Amino acid sequence: MTRKTTPTEAEIEALLDTLADESAEPSDALMASVMDDALARQPRISSGRRRDGFLTQLFSAVGGWGGLGGLVAATCAGVYVGVSPPEGLLDTMNLVWVVDQQEAFDSAPGLTGFGWVLEEDGA
């Protein structure tokens, strides 16, 4: 049943006035049901329960079997790359690490602490 005519402004005002007079308070039965449901969903704190051990907590923090499997795979890959590195890795590592840094450090004697001492004594 749909209404074919548009309601007048007076009809709308009368409807809004009747709705404003009604109480918007929920019933006591509804509030009791909501509180019972909320209390049922809260986690229980049991004082007599034994705490899990360190390894069990660590296992769950890692993510269970899936996380532990990922850590094992990453460890195996790291050991393999450390023992048998790819050919291109050595050249790249030499550019980044000790060889070039030591040459740059030795070529600038004024930047060493010993060079600063000589400059201070000479002045």
Side-chain angles (χ1 to χ4, degrees):
M1 258 174 47
T2 60
R3 187 175 179 164
K4 300 288 183 188
T5 60
T6 305
T8 63
E9 191 172 324
E11 290 175 342
I12 294 175
E13 289 295 327
L15 181 62
L16 290 175
D17 288 340
T18 58
L19 290 175
D21 292 340
E22 291 181 9
S23 174
E25 295 291 324
S27 67
D28 292 335
L30 176 65
M31 290 304 294
S33 173
V34 169
M35 286 303 292
D36 289 341
D37 188 38
L39 290 175
R41 293 183 189 274
Q42 284 185 347
R44 303 272 184 228
I45 298 174
S46 62
S47 60
R49 183 172 178 254
R50 196 183 92 209
R51 288 188 53 190
D52 292 335
F54 175 73
L55 291 177
T56 305
Q57 290 177 2
L58 182 65
F59 182 72
S60 65
V62 165
W65 288 109
L68 192 62
L71 285 175
V72 169
T75 302
C76 292
V79 168
Y80 178 74
V81 169
V83 170
S84 174
E87 291 179 22
L89 184 63
L90 294 177
D91 295 333
T92 306
M93 293 307 289
N94 285 336
L95 289 174
V96 173
W97 290 102
V98 178
V99 175
D100 289 337
Q101 291 178 359
Q102 188 65 33
E103 290 175 4
F105 186 71
D106 289 339
S107 66
L111 298 178
T112 63
F114 182 72
W116 288 337
V117 171
L118 287 178
E119 289 175 4
E120 289 176 4
D121 289 339

